[in-house]
Structure formats: structure tokens, C-alpha cells
Amino acid sequence: MKHLPEPSYDILDPNLVLGAYAVGVFPMADARDAAGVYWVEPRKRAILPLDGFHLSRSLRKTIASDRFRVTADAAFEEVIALCAESADDRPETWINATIEHAFTNLHFRGYAHSVECWDGDALVGGLYGLALGRAFFGESMVSRATDASKVALAWLVARLKAGGFTLLDCQFMTPHLATLGAVEISRGDYIALLGGAIEGSLGAAAESSAPPSGDFGALDLPLVSVGAVTVSGPLAGKDIVQLLTHTS
């Protein structure tokens, strides 16, 4: 009888990960081939207010034209693997096998999600993150085609707004995120926002595999409402533009 080989990386308890995010801490690795992780709690935190997403004219045209086919949770493992790959503009990555394994586990439990952008049958971009309560913790974005990650983020924002989420955590501020509407806040302000977003969710996470209270799948319903706007599914890019620009 054959036995599976022992993993060459540390095992990260998914419940420990959920508990860490609930208090504002998240794991990172020094490199793709690092065996373990360390825990990070930034003094300044980047968030993207869901009503403050900056939809530029060019990005609006790209989304409305349906240049990419956009899906959610259709290829989570492929997205996280693509995010973990080195690229010319990002030779090093903080996503190691420990983190990849933990988030894949959380995906199967209903907590970790992905948004994918496709060009035909080719995965050309996307993002993944963790949902807990009404908070979504964006982990990483990747683009192998111009604007693919921006399109994925726009669809994510629409999805979170439709699903009743109140917090989109971006972890660290970057110039790229700033152009899309992200702002930097203090640790204290972040913890206050986080507490309101995950209130009552941690106990359920520790005791069962119940999914978070925010509805990540709300954008897939036959009728999708955001503010005063209601559109019918399945959604196209023009619907996402409408949901993001006419919400009052």
C-alpha cells in the first residue's frame, strides 16, 4: 500500500488563519520556496471603500466591451498559483506552499474566493481573497493581459456591494491601488471597521465550516440590486458599469 509523502512545508491551521484575520493579522512568506510563514499587522492599512472605487473612462470602456470573460470561484487553485508565479514586474512572491494549501482549504470551506478573467480559454488575470463576516480581505491580484486585474477588481467591488459587504481590505497601499480609490488608514481605525464587519462571525467560524455572512454569490442571482439599481443576470460588463456608477 502506497502512502502519500510528507509535505515539505509547514501546515497552517485554517481556523488559525480565520482567527488571525479577525484581529487584523495575516500571514506572509519570505519567498515562494520558504517552508513557513510569519504574521503581519501593518501600522497603516490600505482599504478600498466600496463606494469610492475609481472607475476611469478607459476602464469603464474595457469593462463594458466585455474584453474579458469574467467568472468567480471557477478556477481558484489556478488563480492562486498564477498569483504565486514570478513575473518580470514581480520577480519575488510572498505566496508559498503553506499559504497556498491553507487558502485552498478555506476555499473548499466557503471562505476563500477568486475572480477570474479569461481570454478565450486562457486565464489572463484575476484575484483571490478571504471573506469573513462582511469583510473581504484581498490577498493578491495578477494580470497577464492589460487591465485584467483592474477588471477583476471592478467585478469584485460590484460583487461585494451586491452581497452586503462593508469592508474591502487591501493590506498595503501601492500606487496602483491608489489610482483605483484605495486609501490608507491607521491601525486603530482599521480595527474599528473590522470589528463592525465581522461581528458575530468568528464563533461560527471556529465551531463549524459555515460560510461567511456576506453573500459572495449575490451577483449571480437572477436579479441583482445595488442601491437604487437593479439589473437582471447573467451579468455583462455594461451591467457592472451600471452597478458601480449609479447606486443612489
Side-chain angles (χ1 to χ4, degrees):
M1 181 177 179
K2 293 183 178 180
H3 296 278
L4 293 175
E6 291 296 322
S8 59
Y9 53 86
D10 293 343
I11 299 297
L12 192 57
D13 181 4
N15 284 333
L16 175 64
V17 176
L18 293 175
Y21 277 87
V23 295
V25 181
F26 56 87
M28 296 185 72
D30 284 323
R32 174 62 174 161
D33 59 357
V37 302
Y38 59 93
W39 298 93
V40 181
E41 185 182 14
R43 292 184 178 181
K44 294 287 187 178
R45 198 76 167 229
I47 65 168
L48 203 166
L50 296 177
D51 287 330
F53 180 71
H54 181 222
L55 191 63
S56 68
R57 182 176 299 179
S58 60
L59 181 57
R60 184 179 309 188
K61 289 181 178 178
T62 298
I63 296 170
S65 70
D66 289 315
R67 180 186 302 174
F68 305 110
R69 178 172 59 90
V70 183
T71 58
D73 287 341
F76 182 88
E77 292 172 89
E78 290 86 345
V79 167
I80 193 171
L82 194 63
C83 287
E85 286 183 1
S86 62
D88 291 341
D89 60 341
R90 187 176 57 177
E92 293 294 333
T93 176
W94 55 268
I95 304 169
N96 67 351
T98 300
I99 292 172
E100 193 171 355
H101 182 270
F103 271 84
T104 299
N105 183 300
L106 287 166
H107 170 65
F108 288 120
R109 290 178 57 183
Y111 289 98
H113 300 282
S114 60
V115 176
E116 305 91 16
C117 286
W118 307 85
D119 183 358
D121 293 329
L123 180 65
V124 295
L127 56 84
Y128 81 95
L130 178 72
L132 184 62
R134 292 174 294 150
F136 189 88
F137 307 90
E139 288 298 303
S140 185
M141 299 191 299
V142 64
S143 189
R144 294 292 185 263
T146 302
D147 289 337
S149 63
K150 292 182 181 179
V151 170
L153 183 59
W155 278 76
L156 173 67
V157 170
R159 183 169 289 274
L160 299 183
K161 294 181 74 168
F165 288 80
T166 60
L167 174 63
L168 174 51
D169 174 22
C170 301
Q171 297 181 347
F172 298 109
M173 178 63 83
T174 67
H176 175 64
L177 286 171
T179 65
L180 295 169
V183 297
E184 196 171 53
I185 62 175
S186 69
R187 179 189 296 168
D189 288 343
Y190 173 77
I191 291 298
L193 290 174
L194 177 63
I198 66 167
E199 184 178 3
S201 64
L202 184 57
E207 296 171 6
S208 72
S209 58
S213 56
D215 186 2
F216 192 79
L219 205 67
D220 306 315
L221 298 174
L223 289 177
V224 180
S225 296
V226 175
V229 176
T230 299
V231 295
S232 59
L235 302 187
K238 60 181 178 57
D239 300 309
I240 298 302
V241 170
Q242 186 178 7
L243 291 172
L244 291 176
T245 57
H246 301 90
T247 59
S248 61

